[in-house]
Amino acid sequence: QLSRGNRARLCLLLALSYNPELIILDEPTSGLDPIVRRDFIENIVSEISDEGKTVLFSSHIVEEVERVADDVGIINDGELLLTAPLDEIKASYKRIRYATNGTRPELAGVPGVLAVENGRHEQVLTVQGWDEETLRALGGRGVQNPEVLPISLEDIFVNTVRAERERRANR
């Protein structure tokens, strides 16, 4: 007779009653409404980790992971593509926007380009491993005044997995 949210909480409390060091939550918010999902993630998972417990949280709702994770792993078809602290991942992936002024630069050889979005008068790149070398490589191809933008974990996930799938298809 319990709601899905209360059932999820009860299951978590039962699991915690054994005082485990590691708690594995596989899609724990599946089927929950947004309010209950947010409450579950922000309150319960945070409380568990505050107790010094390790929580392995698996979810297709990447926004949830971004809200509570310290370290992130991206898995595609059973292969671990990336694992690092969330702050490091967010610092190394960027979106780069610049005006094209009618011509698009040749991007071959620019390190870390995962995706290219072409607009009417601009291009937006998703870059992994963003650093000064990437900026110099773009400048060498005529890119002027690039705007470096932050990127969400979901966009990092999508672009990383797509790039891996393209790499596999081109083998």
Side-chain angles (χ1 to χ4, degrees):
Q1 295 179 359
L2 294 174
S3 69
R4 287 186 110 165
N6 284 331
R7 270 188 279 175
R9 286 184 181 139
L10 178 60
C11 287
L12 183 61
L13 287 172
L14 289 171
L16 292 174
S17 68
Y18 290 99
N19 197 28
E21 291 299 313
L22 171 66
I23 299 146
I24 300 172
L25 301 175
D26 186 19
E27 301 286 351
T29 61
S30 177
L32 301 179
D33 71 63
I35 294 171
V36 174
R37 245 188 14 238
R38 183 167 286 190
D39 181 52
F40 184 89
I41 296 305
E42 291 181 353
N43 296 325
I44 296 175
V45 173
S46 295
E47 286 178 28
I48 293 169
S49 60
D50 285 348
E51 293 176 11
K53 310 286 186 201
T54 299
V55 179
L56 179 62
F57 182 81
S58 171
S59 178
H60 286 88
I61 304 172
V62 181
E63 181 182 295
E64 289 181 351
V65 175
E66 187 170 14
R67 195 172 14 257
V68 296
D70 295 323
D71 293 276
V72 173
I74 295 178
I75 299 173
N76 180 48
D77 293 332
E79 181 182 347
L80 184 63
L81 302 179
L82 172 69
T83 181
L86 179 60
D87 292 343
E88 286 180 20
I89 292 172
K90 300 264 314 217
S92 72
Y93 282 76
K94 299 294 180 193
R95 293 175 62 83
I96 313 302
R97 181 173 49 206
Y98 51 86
T100 55
N101 300 321
T103 60
R104 303 206 191 293
E106 174 57 47
L107 297 173
V110 176
V113 175
L114 295 178
V116 180
E117 299 168 39
N118 292 310
R120 274 182 68 154
H121 302 289
E122 69 179 16
Q123 273 188 321
V124 180
L125 309 179
T126 301
V127 177
Q128 176 186 15
W130 167 255
D131 60 13
E132 291 301 314
E133 181 183 341
T134 309
L135 188 59
R136 281 192 301 277
L138 289 172
R141 286 160 179 78
V143 173
Q144 297 176 5
N145 303 318
E147 182 181 5
V148 180
L149 306 168
I151 185 170
S152 70
L153 184 59
E154 183 169 341
D155 285 336
I156 292 169
F157 174 86
V158 167
N159 286 291
T160 300
V161 169
R162 279 186 181 155
E164 177 61 19
R165 289 179 180 170
E166 280 183 32
R167 187 187 67 76
R168 286 181 185 174
N170 292 328
R171 279 189 196 170

